[in-house]
Amino acid sequence: MTIAPVLSPAPVRGGEARTPRGRRVALVVAVVTTLAAVIQQVLHAVGVVGGQPWPWLLVAAPAWLLALRGLRAVPAPPPVVVRAVDRLRRIPAWAGAAAVLTMAATVWAALQDHEPLIGHEEAVYGNKARSWLDGTPDAGWGTYRPVGLPALGRIALAVHDDVGALRVVALLLTLFTLTATYLVAARLTTPRRAVVATLLLLSGLGFLRRVPLFLNDIGATGLLVIVVYLLVRAQEKPGSRALLVLPLPALAAFYLRYGVVGTLAAIAAAAVLAYGPRAWLAQGRRLALSAGLLLAGLIPHFIYATEVTGSPLGLIFSATEHAGRAYVGDGLAYYLAVFPYRLAGDLGGVVMAAGLWGLGAAIRRRRRQQPHDRRRVFLGMSAVLTFIVLGVATDGEPRFVYLPVVLLTVLGVQTLAESAGRWSQTVLTATAALAAVTVPATAQYVAHDAMPGPTAQRVSTLAVARQLASDRPCLLVTGYEPDLGWYSGCDAVTFGQYRRMAPPPSGVEVSLILFERGRLQPGPASLRHLIDSRATTTRTIPTDGSLGTATVITLRAGS
């Protein structure tokens, strides 16, 4: 039986004499590094070792390719392996998907104890949600931020007014995205391969790190996955009305996160490249109706943006301007530097690399005009173009590119399954088993290495906020405005914003907060300018957090 070209390409001329020794060396390296990866993840999962795992599989994968290079046939899996895999295959795919969702909920719950205090970005959306609920100042809020997440937070806070309620929203968004990934991947591949892809997504460091947090990136990704699927369905099912449904998830994703504009543009460009302009123009009526519904859904945003900025697109451009990039394209440089390990770990990274391989193969076969090849080109190009568009438009963060991770993972699982020949089921089962171990291993790293730093900082801001909480109108000037605003109930601005704003009303108590090891704080001369010869009261608040002792300079009322 012939083996697919990914595992057994044709022998290189002139290389037969020297490849056997090279293959033996490569085989030893492949086996050793694979075992090291498995043992390492098990040790991390049970908490024996800490720190970030070594990317052994990024060495093992090319070593396996070199070891198998030139082989005309690969022996079938041993009978004992075949029987074990067959037993596991008796488990229904839906049960595997349910197990992944249960694992996600378990990880979410376990990590709450390691990062119990609300963070900077979380507090921004939480403050806005609480301001809609009871009129508390929306400290840290900017008009360039989308309203979808605060709207969900408003509902959660009406049930229970604390951080835990907001974090439950995060759990629901995570479960939604994992479910959407499974259902879409099951339609694009098979249900069992969809379980593997969903489990790989959860196991990745870039994704799992944000699972416990009240942020909008994971939820927006699930909606974008649905958008991608609807475009595939619109082309592959004659008479489909998928284009008429498409505005719903697209608009929901936009109002949840304005940054999806770049991703939607990349998806649209990939759709044209993969299927061709004529294929879309052939659906002219449905395409026009879909565009009309999309524009109609954007009218409230355009009206609000025009009122705030003077331009219908003002808020979108404003969101781009607030990106923390050092230069145009530094986000792309970041993604190239961290791809694929920091995005999905070494296991997910290997599968993503296989997805890129599958994209290249589909592009080479595209002249045959096979529907599955055009689909793969669409999925792969959507991922690649998203990296490029977002990398140029904004700064780089793993949470901005979850969609490419999903698409390349799905494409990679499909590529591995088709390329492994008789080993297909064994390879996928082994991948799923290692991913199942990687989830708790990654959670251990997040809990004990990634979370302690932010939590130690928030211990400082919490201590100060509790001291300054007041029933009277108050304004805090600090480099940690959302966090202090959430826990104190006061309005809060940065030192830069305070310089530019009009003097607050006389009844508002203004306090300038300087931490011993704080950020974005004025020097002595700038501080004197902010005080402007007004009478002050100064006190220190010791904290156990990483920011150290806080100095609070309160401007006396009426001074």
Side-chain angles (χ1 to χ4, degrees), residues 483-549:
D483 322 41
L484 284 164
W486 172 266
Y487 285 110
S488 68
C490 299
D491 198 1
V493 296
T494 65
F495 289 96
Q497 291 170 333
Y498 185 68
R499 291 188 191 96
R500 296 187 297 269
M501 66 184 292
S506 58
V508 176
E509 183 177 79
V510 179
S511 296
L512 312 181
I513 303 171
L514 305 172
F515 285 98
E516 184 180 356
R517 291 179 290 275
R519 68 183 180 196
L520 303 177
Q521 299 182 158
S526 181
L527 184 60
R528 286 193 297 270
H529 178 73
L530 290 174
I531 296 174
D532 194 24
S533 301
R534 284 172 288 184
T536 63
T537 300
T538 302
R539 57 171 164 159
T540 58
I541 301 176
T543 75
D544 296 327
S546 60
L547 299 181
T549 300

Side-chain angles (χ1 to χ4, degrees), residues 113-117 450-461 545-546:
D113 291 337
H114 295 275
E115 197 168 15
L117 304 179
M451 286 181 165
T455 299
Q457 173 184 296
R458 292 162 197 164
V459 168
S460 293
T461 56
S546 60

Side-chain angles (χ1 to χ4, degrees), residues 155-229:
I155 298 172
L157 292 178
V159 177
H160 198 270
D161 188 5
D162 66 357
V163 175
L166 298 179
R167 295 281 179 83
V168 169
V169 174
L171 172 62
L172 295 177
L173 291 176
T174 297
L175 296 179
F176 162 74
T177 294
L178 291 174
T179 301
T181 298
Y182 167 73
L183 293 175
V184 169
R187 294 294 186 92
L188 299 179
T189 59
T190 69
R192 295 189 184 279
R193 294 173 188 177
V195 172
V196 178
T198 307
L199 185 55
L200 284 167
L201 175 64
L202 178 62
S203 71
L205 172 60
F207 185 88
L208 194 146
R209 173 66 182 93
R210 304 300 176 182
V211 164
L213 307 181
F214 181 63
L215 297 172
N216 54 14
D217 307 276
I218 289 180
T221 299
L223 294 165
L224 291 172
V225 168
I226 296 173
V227 169
V228 169
Y229 171 69

Side-chain angles (χ1 to χ4, degrees), residues 41-189:
Q41 294 295 1
V42 171
L43 293 177
H44 274 82
V46 298
V48 173
V49 296
Q52 187 165 343
W54 288 66
W56 291 112
L57 291 179
L58 297 186
V59 178
W64 280 113
L65 292 178
L66 289 174
L68 297 173
R69 183 177 177 82
L71 294 180
R72 296 185 179 277
V74 176
V80 62
V81 173
V82 173
R83 287 194 296 271
V85 171
D86 286 342
R87 289 192 184 97
L88 290 174
R89 283 178 56 80
R90 295 173 186 172
I91 301 174
W94 64 263
V100 175
L101 297 180
T102 302
M103 188 176 295
T106 302
V107 167
W108 171 88
L111 292 178
Q112 296 301 318
D113 291 337
H114 295 275
E115 197 168 15
L117 304 179
I118 197 166
H120 180 94
E121 287 292 314
E122 292 181 283
V124 170
Y125 294 106
N127 288 336
K128 189 63 176 179
R130 195 168 61 182
S131 74
W132 286 341
L133 178 66
D134 59 15
T136 304
D138 54 357
W141 182 257
T143 55
Y144 63 91
R145 293 184 180 274
V147 297
L149 190 62
L152 297 176
R154 163 67 176 79
I155 298 172
L157 292 178
V159 177
H160 198 270
D161 188 5
D162 66 357
V163 175
L166 298 179
R167 295 281 179 83
V168 169
V169 174
L171 172 62
L172 295 177
L173 291 176
T174 297
L175 296 179
F176 162 74
T177 294
L178 291 174
T179 301
T181 298
Y182 167 73
L183 293 175
V184 169
R187 294 294 186 92
L188 299 179
T189 59

Side-chain angles (χ1 to χ4, degrees), residues 252-329:
F254 173 78
Y255 283 111
L256 192 59
R257 185 173 185 273
Y258 291 154
V260 302
V261 170
T263 305
L264 289 172
I267 293 172
V272 174
L273 290 173
Y275 295 103
R278 292 182 179 178
W280 294 109
L281 293 176
Q283 302 193 47
R285 179 176 296 180
R286 291 192 180 95
L287 194 63
L289 285 173
S290 179
L293 292 173
L294 188 62
L295 289 174
L298 290 172
I299 288 176
H301 172 79
F302 289 151
I303 293 174
Y304 175 66
T306 302
E307 292 178 353
V308 174
T309 68
S311 168
L313 301 178
L315 291 182
I316 296 175
F317 291 138
S318 176
T320 302
E321 292 170 0
H322 281 82
R325 61 186 181 185
Y327 55 89
V328 176

Side-chain angles (χ1 to χ4, degrees), residues 338-466:
V338 303
F339 185 90
Y341 182 56
R342 291 293 297 175
L343 300 179
D346 59 348
L347 178 60
V350 168
V351 176
M352 288 176 65
L356 287 177
W357 184 296
L359 169 62
I363 291 175
R364 290 193 298 271
R365 296 191 303 262
R366 192 181 171 202
R367 292 183 180 179
R368 301 177 188 175
Q369 295 297 310
Q370 295 296 323
H372 66 274
D373 284 332
R374 289 195 292 270
R375 177 198 300 174
R376 294 179 190 189
V377 171
F378 171 51
L379 297 180
M381 289 304 298
S382 293
V384 171
L385 290 178
T386 298
F387 279 123
I388 294 173
V389 172
L390 296 187
V392 172
T394 184
D395 58 320
E397 281 197 39
R399 64 190 181 97
F400 295 165
V401 289
Y402 287 152
L403 180 69
V405 172
V406 171
L407 297 181
L408 289 180
T409 300
V410 172
L411 192 55
V413 169
Q414 184 78 341
T415 301
L416 287 176
E418 294 176 351
S419 301
R422 287 175 291 182
W423 285 81
S424 175
Q425 299 302 329
T426 302
V427 169
L428 290 184
T429 301
T431 301
L434 184 53
V437 175
T438 303
V439 171
T442 304
Q444 288 278 12
Y445 169 73
V446 170
H448 299 290
D449 291 86
M451 286 181 165
T455 299
Q457 173 184 296
R458 292 162 197 164
V459 168
S460 293
T461 56
L462 174 63
V464 175
R466 285 177 172 171

